């Protein structure tokens, strides 16, 4: 991996605010996909296939949470999904995604705030590389679940280092006990091979009703 790519990753993990992330990813947008290919970013197609299998098909509108330049959109399209909307913090990244013609809609959203989408809009949500160190933690899962229909599925990756440091196990126990989510799948697998980084591939379901 080149030193330039390593420096970008270091900046991302050290960022302390959405404004810092917006600046870093804005500067990185044009070369981001080359860097991710170089780093061995393998999780998007794995996660897209998981979402398809759990939903039982691809005849659903999907929200790509933290869509970036559209690597998730490519994976979702290859899995067979046709109606995909994307949200991301950085307009420069979405400009690249927009050029691919993968998404029905793209809009700016800060996951640390309320997502500008109505409750119960989607049957499925997808997010890879977003719930990790220096980005978003388990406390923002309920906001994604909010925009899902009852019984909707959220498939996401959580980097292994973030799983421990952000306390994901305990957080999920709490979310399940409050009937915010049902964790129906958790598999540890390859995420970024150039960093020898694994991730938890989580499958979360929105409860149809509370207890």
């Amino acid at each position: 991996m080149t030193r330039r790519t390593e420096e970008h990753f270091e900046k991302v993990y050290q960022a302390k605010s959405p404004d810092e992330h917006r600046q870093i990813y804005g500067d990185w947008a044009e070369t981001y996909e080359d860097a991710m290919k170089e780093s061995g970013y393998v999780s998007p197609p794995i996660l897209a296939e998981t979402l398809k299998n759990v939903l039982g098909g691809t005849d659903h509108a999907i929200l790509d949470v933290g869509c970036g330049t559209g690597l998730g959109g490519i994976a979702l399209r290859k899995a067979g999904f046709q109606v995909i909307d994307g949200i991301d913090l950085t307009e420069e990244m979405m400009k690249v995604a927009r050029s691919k013609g993968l998404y029905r809609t793209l809009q700016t959203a800060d996951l640390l705030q309320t997502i500008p989408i109505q409750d119960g809009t989607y049957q499925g949500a997808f997010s890879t590389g977003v719930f990790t160190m220096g980005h978003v933690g388990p406390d923002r899962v309920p906001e994604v679940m909010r925009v899902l229909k009852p019984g909707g599925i959220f498939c996401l990756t959580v980097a292994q280092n973030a799983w421990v440091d952000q306390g994901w196990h305990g957080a999920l126990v709490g979310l399940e006990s409050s009937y915010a989510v049902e964790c129906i799948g958790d598999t540890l697998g390859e995420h970024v091979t150039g960093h020898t980084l694994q991730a938890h591939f989580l499958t979360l379901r929105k409860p149809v009703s509370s207890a």
Side-chain angles (χ1 to χ4, degrees):
M1 186 180 304
T2 66
R3 180 56 190 162
R4 182 172 177 78
T5 295
E6 290 178 351
E7 288 174 353
H8 276 300
F9 278 109
E10 289 169 3
K11 288 179 181 178
V12 165
Y13 291 140
Q14 292 170 6
K16 303 298 183 184
S17 71
D19 285 342
E20 287 185 64
H21 278 119
R22 191 178 290 111
Q23 180 65 51
I24 293 165
Y25 279 108
D27 293 342
W28 198 7
E30 293 300 322
T31 59
Y32 175 79
E33 292 191 14
D34 290 338
M36 297 310 288
K37 181 178 180 180
E38 178 190 346
S39 68
Y41 183 46
V42 297
S43 52
I46 299 171
L47 197 68
E49 286 294 325
T50 299
L51 183 59
K52 177 177 73 173
N53 291 338
V54 176
L55 286 175
T58 57
D59 189 24
H60 305 282
I62 303 300
L63 181 64
D64 185 355
V65 179
C67 62
T69 60
L71 292 175
I74 292 172
L76 288 164
R77 283 280 189 172
K78 287 184 177 179
F81 293 100
Q82 297 299 311
V83 181
I84 310 165
D85 295 336
I87 57 173
D88 198 85
L89 179 66
T90 308
E91 180 57 39
E92 290 88 348
M93 298 285 277
M94 287 192 295
K95 181 179 179 181
V96 177
R98 194 171 287 114
S99 71
K100 294 180 169 68
L102 299 166
Y103 295 92
R104 178 178 64 176
T105 65
L106 286 164
Q107 63 177 318
T108 304
D110 180 354
L111 288 177
L112 299 183
Q113 307 297 326
T114 300
I115 299 171
I117 296 172
Q118 292 184 348
D119 295 2
T121 299
Y122 296 95
Q123 189 64 35
F126 168 102
S127 186
T128 180
V130 175
F131 288 81
T132 187
M133 297 304 296
H135 285 62
V136 183
D139 59 310
R140 302 312 297 163
V141 167
E143 178 59 15
V144 178
M145 305 308 289
R146 177 186 65 78
V147 305
L148 294 181
K149 301 176 188 295
I153 299 297
F154 180 26
C155 285
L156 68 153
T157 60
V158 179
Q160 176 66 356
N161 54 351
W163 182 267
V164 175
D165 291 349
Q166 293 180 331
W168 273 84
H169 176 73
L172 286 176
V173 170
L175 289 171
E176 288 193 286
S177 66
S178 64
Y179 303 101
V181 304
E182 298 171 357
C183 184
I184 61 173
D186 177 6
T187 303
L188 189 64
E190 296 294 336
H191 181 43
V192 183
T193 59
H195 286 192
T196 319
L197 179 61
Q198 292 189 311
H200 287 258
F201 289 73
L202 291 180
T203 302
L204 306 178
R205 180 165 56 204
K206 183 173 183 175
V208 174
S209 62
S210 61

